[in-house]
Amino acid sequence: MTTSLPRLQRSSGESRVAFAVRAGETRLADLYQRDPCRVLFPDSEPGEPPQAVLVTTSGGVAGGDRLRMEVAVGPGAQAVVATQAAEKIYRAAPGSDPCRIDVAVTVETGAILDWLPQETIVFQGARLVRRTVAEVAAGASLLGCEMVVLGRGASGERFASGLLLDSWSVRRAGRLAWTDTLRVEGETPDGAGFGTANALATVIGVWDTPEPHFERARALLDDAGQARRDVRAGVTLVNGILIARLLGEATAVRTAVIAFLTTFRGRRLPRVWHV
């Protein structure tokens, strides 16, 4: 007599949120959501563009789950999109497929988008494949941030087995301008420069004239590096795309990211970051 493993329930969620200019103001133009993906619209601070907050109602993502999120900002519109909390990627069951998250960001001519999800925590034994593709038209601007945490350091957990395959691509005016992939399979890669760090944040900036933003980011990160030694940080320009990295312990990196983005943007991050 043979027995088979029980068939586990898997999530297949999707959300799409689009903004467009109507009657001289940025307004919601399209919304689609399928569990466990939801979109909330908190009131923005006076003088700030509309906000959308993405939520995973399942409380986390497990092996075999598939999620897709789309964010689109039409010509001349402005928006800020964040996530409600840190995304948790749970340990995968033996033999299960990786969970897959696809993110598509479109910023059309003259539009401005701040894409500011909170960190993704990859539990020990989790398996995540995530792909983010940003299409940024000429004359449009994108400021994005992604932070990944390997293991739950506060609980004494190390990421000693599992998979993280995290890729980003930026297409500018229809042409590939930058792409990058982080692959961690098994032990956190000390030899790849992580050392004792368990968190990596990447800030991506796309503008028609990136040099002033680059000089400002470099000055801010240089000042931060002199003020604190627990986070390593640097910034560069690749094909006109600003890429900043912050590496260290998760809490320290999150604190540094909040401080950097707050000053760089000239305003506080969305309230969900401070709850």
Side-chain angles (χ1 to χ4, degrees), residues 194-211:
F194 272 70
T196 60
N198 70 332
L200 172 67
T202 302
V203 177
I204 300 155
V206 185
W207 304 274
D208 279 352
T209 308
E211 289 78 11

Side-chain angles (χ1 to χ4, degrees), residues 41-252:
F41 298 94
D43 292 334
S44 302
E45 299 293 337
E48 294 192 3
Q51 286 187 19
V53 175
L54 309 185
V55 180
T56 304
T57 59
S58 58
V61 185
D65 290 352
R66 291 176 176 268
L67 305 180
R68 177 173 177 81
M69 284 81 78
E70 296 183 34
V71 177
V73 185
Q78 300 182 36
V80 177
V81 180
T83 57
Q84 186 180 42
E87 188 70 272
K88 302 177 182 66
I89 311 298
Y90 295 124
R91 176 192 293 268
S96 67
D97 292 331
C99 58
R100 296 181 180 274
I101 300 176
D102 290 295
V103 181
V105 173
T106 303
V107 193
E108 298 189 39
T109 303
I112 300 173
L113 172 64
D114 286 1
W115 165 245
L116 303 171
Q118 298 188 63
E119 65 268 31
T120 298
I121 304 173
V122 186
F123 286 29
Q124 154 65 9
R127 296 175 60 80
L128 168 64
V129 176
R130 179 169 63 183
R131 182 169 182 258
T132 303
V133 178
E135 296 273 358
V136 186
S141 301
L142 168 68
L143 178 65
C145 179
E146 292 280 8
M147 177 177 168
V148 63
V149 179
L150 295 170
R152 293 168 291 173
S155 302
E157 179 184 274
R158 295 174 61 249
F159 188 82
S161 65
L163 171 68
L164 169 65
L165 184 60
D166 197 10
S167 65
W168 248 95
S169 296
V170 175
R171 298 180 62 84
R172 183 68 162 159
R175 301 183 62 181
L176 182 64
W178 176 75
T179 188
D180 182 72
T181 299
L182 171 65
R183 183 186 182 102
V184 179
E185 190 164 8
E187 190 74 24
T188 303
D190 293 351
F194 272 70
T196 60
N198 70 332
L200 172 67
T202 302
V203 177
I204 300 155
V206 185
W207 304 274
D208 279 352
T209 308
E211 289 78 11
H213 302 281
F214 167 70
E215 294 298 338
R216 177 169 170 74
R218 183 167 63 176
L220 290 173
L221 292 176
D222 285 348
D223 290 345
Q226 295 173 10
R228 59 187 307 159
R229 303 297 181 182
D230 52 356
V231 174
R232 288 180 285 162
V235 62
T236 189
L237 281 177
V238 180
N239 292 333
I241 309 299
L242 180 146
I243 310 296
R245 309 277 198 189
L246 297 92
L247 181 69
E249 184 276 327
T251 302

